[in-house]
């Protein structure tokens, strides 16, 4: 098992057959708040405001601000554009998604207008914290290396029976790499593999991802003299992630080889569930100023990966075409990941009940992420990679709301810090490394209408960041720059009673 796990991390930034790497821990730790259209339009800067379904997930004390029953649901439509730059070639791919982004029911548990504790509320809420739907297409001509190089090097010194069934064994059985034969026509099983085709070919890699991360939360909060709001919550987080990678090489310049093209497909499905705890408070300094503070515990996820690989190779000899196909066994592995805790400080100004200005600063220490499993040595190596590769960051969110009753206008901005320590700078693409990425920024605006017993809100946002991907492995090919642009529109319907 250790050999397969080490192999998985060897390819984690390229053709990945399974998870269980520090990059996967980051993927599932890097969460955002999708939430309601009102919160989204204001950059999700709601830690000190409260009385919104999203605010309860940022700071559970925000539940204490509610004065009545509240029911709301939000749907969102997203469109992602991925631009890839490889071998002086640019390609773009589009993907879309439509889903329920939040749902919540708020109910008063106790009311005492004349007492110190004016009211106690409880709520059941749902929030989508990540959407994985994306598609990227990397393609170009490469005369310096081939995926066959990786197959050949990784197979060296390994007997036929011990080749990795999820990788180079497939290359062997479809005749991309081979062994010498003896006079009897039997393979000389000495680990001295050679390649069947030289580099110089067209390459293409398509990566499709789907799924989401969701959080279901039960919250209890109260209002003390309408000055201090305190709340706590217990959350159940779920992960549903599918990654499909299609890789192809064709049009080889090596005319002496029988290899005409080959096609490889990797499917990885990851599922998980975990629990977390949140505690928070909001201090109403006066009618204009509110201050908030919240703590989110680490989330411990129990994870399961399932994966399989298939490879097909097309050959031609003396004008006669033939092909070979190989399908790996079905792989499955259980492990655990621990995401970092979060601390959020917030402030909000409410001016003449017309203008609201709010801001959140969120601290996340990504060096505290953990990956745990049965292979102690391998996971210790991965946890050390986490310490060496990542750093602590600050996420900042700002929002403004202008109330021209019954119409309300909103704008927002959010910037999520780069968790990767080896960071070359937002525009230094010529020197980026395998783990390169830029800070993610979101600009948003929205409009809403408030009635006595209902409300409707609309929001639009644009998010952009850059990162890298690998055609296969950084020992053989330079990282590919990917620019990720994401647009989202959201609609919230709510009722008060």
């Amino acid at each position: 098992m250790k050999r397969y796990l080490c192999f998985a991390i060897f390819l984690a930034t390229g053709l990945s057959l399974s998870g269980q790497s520090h990059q996967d821990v980051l993927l599932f730790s890097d969460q955002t708040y999708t939430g309601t259209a009102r919160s989204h339009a204001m950059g999700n800067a709601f830690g000190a405001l409260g009385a919104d379904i999203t605010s309860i997930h940022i700071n559970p004390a925000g539940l204490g601000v509610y004065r009545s029953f509240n029911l709301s649901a939000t749907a969102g439509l997203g469109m992602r554009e991925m631009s890839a730059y490889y071998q002086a070639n640019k390609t773009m791919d589009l993907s879309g998604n439509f889903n329920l982004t939040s749902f919540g029911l708020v109910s008063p548990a106790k009311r005492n207008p004349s007492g110190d504790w004016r009211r106690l509320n409880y709520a059941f809420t749902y929030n989508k914290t990540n959407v994985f739907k994306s598609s990227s297409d990397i393609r170009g001509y490469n005369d310096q290396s081939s995926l066959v190089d990786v197959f050949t090097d990784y197979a060296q010194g390994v007997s036929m029976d011990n080749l990795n069934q999820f990788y180079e064994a497939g290359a062997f059985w479809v005749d991309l790499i081979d062994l010498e034969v003896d006079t009897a026509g039997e393979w000389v099983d000495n680990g001295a593999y050679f390649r069947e085709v030289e580099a110089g070919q067209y390459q293409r890699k398509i990566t499709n991802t789907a799924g989401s991360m969701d959080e279901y939360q039960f919250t209890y909060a109260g209002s003390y003299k309408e000055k201090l709001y305190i709340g706590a919550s217990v959350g159940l987080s779920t992960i549903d992630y599918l990654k499909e990678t299609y890789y192809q090489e064709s049009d080889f310049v090596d005319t002496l080889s029988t290899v005409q093209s080959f096609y490889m497909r990797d499917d990885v499905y990851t599922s998980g569930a975990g629990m977390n705890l949140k505690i928070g408070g909001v201090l109403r300094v006066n009618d204009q100023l509110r201050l908030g503070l919240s703590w989110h515990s680490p989330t411990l996820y129990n994870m399961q990966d399932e994966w399989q690989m298939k490879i097909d190779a097309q050959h031609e000899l003396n004008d006669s075409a033939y092909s070979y196909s190989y399908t790996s066994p079905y792989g499955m592995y259980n492990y655990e990941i621990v995401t970092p805790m979060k601390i959020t400080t917030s402030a909000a100004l409410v001016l003449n009940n017309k203008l609201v200005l709010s801001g959140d600063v969120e601290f996340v220490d990504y060096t505290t992420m953990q990956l745990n499993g049965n292979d102690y040595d391998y996971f210790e190596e991965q946890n050390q990679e986490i310490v060496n590769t990542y750093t602590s960051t600050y996420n900042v969110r700002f929002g403004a709301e202008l109330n021209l009753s019954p119409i309300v206008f909103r704008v927002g901005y959010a910037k999520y810090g780069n968790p990767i320590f080896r960071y070359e700078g937002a525009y230094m693409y010529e020197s980026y490394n395998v783990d390169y990425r830029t800070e993610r920024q979101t600009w948003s605006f929205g409009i809403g209408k408030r009635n006595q017993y209902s409300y409707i809100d609309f929001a639009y946002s644009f998010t952009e960041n850059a990162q890298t991907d690998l055609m296969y492995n950084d020992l053989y090919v330079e990282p590919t720059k990917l620019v990720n642009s994401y647009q989202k529109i959201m609609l919230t319907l709510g009722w008060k009673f």
Side-chain angles (χ1 to χ4, degrees):
M1 175 58 73
K2 182 178 180 180
R3 170 174 162 76
Y4 291 164
L5 289 177
C6 290
F7 158 74
I9 182 57
F10 178 75
L11 298 171
T13 53
L15 290 174
S16 177
L17 299 182
S18 62
Q20 307 131 35
S21 71
H22 63 90
Q23 288 97 339
D24 296 283
V25 186
L26 177 63
L27 174 67
F28 301 128
S29 297
D30 189 16
Q31 304 176 35
T32 57
Y33 306 99
T34 306
T36 65
R38 181 190 181 199
S39 176
H40 199 76
M42 296 178 64
N44 287 315
F46 255 77
L49 287 175
D52 182 89
I53 297 301
T54 309
S55 73
I56 300 174
H57 287 258
I58 300 171
N59 186 343
L63 174 63
V65 181
Y66 278 100
R67 297 174 180 268
S68 63
F69 289 91
N70 191 284
L71 174 67
S72 75
T74 304
L77 176 65
M79 178 63 69
R80 190 183 305 274
E81 177 186 287
M82 295 287 281
S83 300
Y85 300 82
Y86 178 70
Q87 302 288 9
N89 187 43
K90 177 184 177 181
T91 55
M92 292 188 298
D93 210 347
L94 296 174
S95 60
N97 64 87
F98 177 80
N99 44 56
L100 179 71
T101 63
S102 80
F103 173 84
L105 174 64
V106 175
S107 175
K110 181 180 179 181
R111 296 177 181 175
N112 186 7
S114 60
D116 290 340
W117 287 97
R118 303 295 169 83
R119 62 186 167 275
L120 298 173
N121 297 334
Y122 63 87
F124 173 77
T125 55
Y126 159 80
N127 183 43
K128 190 169 292 295
T129 57
N130 214 332
V131 176
F132 296 121
K133 181 70 173 179
S134 71
S135 180
S136 65
D137 188 349
I138 306 172
R139 64 177 84 174
Y141 179 80
N142 186 355
D143 60 2
Q144 300 298 313
S145 70
S146 163
L147 182 58
V148 180
D149 291 314
V150 188
F151 291 143
T152 307
D153 291 348
Y154 205 70
Q156 292 306 314
V158 182
S159 65
M160 291 169 50
D161 291 339
N162 289 321
L163 291 174
N164 194 314
Q165 300 176 76
F166 298 97
Y167 198 58
E168 72 271 9
F172 177 77
W173 291 113
V174 300
D175 217 12
L176 296 177
I177 61 175
D178 211 342
L179 290 166
E180 297 290 351
V181 296
D182 58 23
T183 56
E186 299 293 330
W187 280 301
V188 180
D189 194 6
N190 59 0
Y193 295 87
F194 61 89
R195 56 187 302 148
E196 287 282 7
V197 63
E198 296 298 323
Q201 70 288 315
Y202 173 81
Q203 299 173 319
R204 186 179 187 185
K205 177 185 174 184
I206 299 174
T207 304
N208 296 323
T209 60
S212 65
M213 296 181 68
D214 305 289
E215 185 176 59
Y216 304 86
Q217 184 170 297
F218 179 79
T219 309
Y220 195 74
S223 168
Y224 182 76
K225 294 184 177 180
E226 301 295 357
K227 292 291 185 181
L228 178 65
Y229 307 93
I230 298 176
S233 68
V234 175
L236 169 65
S237 296
T238 61
I239 297 173
D240 184 70
Y241 177 69
L242 174 65
K243 182 178 182 180
E244 300 172 333
T245 305
Y246 307 86
Y247 181 83
Q248 180 184 24
E249 289 190 0
S250 59
D251 300 330
F252 288 91
V253 297
D254 184 358
T255 57
L256 299 179
S257 172
T258 64
V259 178
Q260 301 301 301
S261 64
F262 71 89
Y263 168 87
M264 183 177 180
R265 171 173 174 167
D266 303 323
D267 293 334
V268 182
Y269 175 67
T270 301
S271 58
M275 302 289 293
N276 60 53
L277 174 68
K278 300 176 185 178
I279 301 173
V282 174
L283 176 64
R284 188 171 183 172
V285 180
N286 51 47
D287 289 342
Q288 291 77 41
L289 178 63
R290 298 178 186 179
L291 302 176
L293 177 66
S294 64
W295 172 81
H296 297 190
S297 75
T299 302
L300 172 63
Y301 286 98
N302 291 310
M303 308 287 292
Q304 182 179 80
D305 281 356
E306 303 171 51
W307 68 94
Q308 192 170 45
M309 176 270 273
K310 181 179 180 181
I311 185 168
D312 298 299
Q314 290 72 43
H315 296 258
E316 184 176 301
L317 180 63
N318 298 327
D319 296 326
S320 177
Y322 60 98
S323 63
Y324 297 118
S325 182
Y326 170 86
T327 300
S328 75
Y330 196 79
M332 186 177 295
Y333 192 76
N334 295 317
Y335 58 104
E336 296 177 349
I337 64 172
V338 181
T339 66
M341 73 172 188
K342 296 180 181 180
I343 298 176
T344 305
T345 58
S346 311
L349 283 174
V350 182
L351 305 176
N352 298 322
N353 290 323
K354 292 291 185 181
L355 178 64
V356 175
L357 302 174
S358 62
D360 292 352
V361 178
E362 185 177 76
F363 172 79
V364 187
D365 185 359
Y366 287 94
T367 65
T368 62
M369 299 185 298
Q370 291 185 27
L371 181 66
N372 302 311
N374 292 332
D375 194 305
Y376 178 80
D377 291 337
Y378 170 78
F379 288 107
E380 276 296 298
E381 293 173 4
Q382 289 304 294
N383 288 327
Q384 189 58 49
E385 280 292 316
I386 289 174
V387 174
N388 295 339
T389 305
Y390 304 108
T391 186
S392 58
T393 65
Y394 289 93
N395 304 324
V396 295
R397 301 185 291 266
F398 301 101
E401 181 179 76
L402 179 62
N403 188 350
L404 302 178
S405 183
I407 305 300
V408 185
F409 298 93
R410 308 178 181 102
V411 294
Y413 170 77
K415 184 176 183 179
Y416 295 87
N418 179 18
I420 298 174
F421 180 72
R422 297 194 299 269
Y423 178 49
E424 301 294 344
Y427 303 103
M428 297 174 63
Y429 296 120
E430 67 278 3
S431 61
Y432 57 77
N433 54 40
V434 175
D435 293 318
Y436 171 84
R437 65 185 283 180
T438 63
E439 296 170 322
R440 185 172 69 251
Q441 298 185 75
T442 299
W443 297 264
S444 56
F445 67 86
I447 188 172
K449 183 180 180 182
R450 259 37 190 176
N451 298 317
Q452 184 177 0
Y453 298 110
S454 64
Y455 54 90
I456 182 171
D457 296 310
F458 168 84
Y460 167 85
S461 68
F462 175 81
T463 302
E464 187 173 58
N465 77 302
Q467 61 194 62
T468 57
D469 192 13
L470 285 170
M471 184 63 84
Y472 32 88
N473 186 278
D474 65 316
L475 299 179
Y476 304 87
V477 67
E478 289 294 318
T480 299
K481 185 182 87 173
L482 295 178
V483 176
N484 176 10
S485 301
Y486 186 57
Q487 300 181 69
K488 192 172 188 68
I489 57 175
M490 299 171 59
L491 178 68
T492 296
L493 299 177
W495 297 267
K496 298 176 289 184
F497 46 91

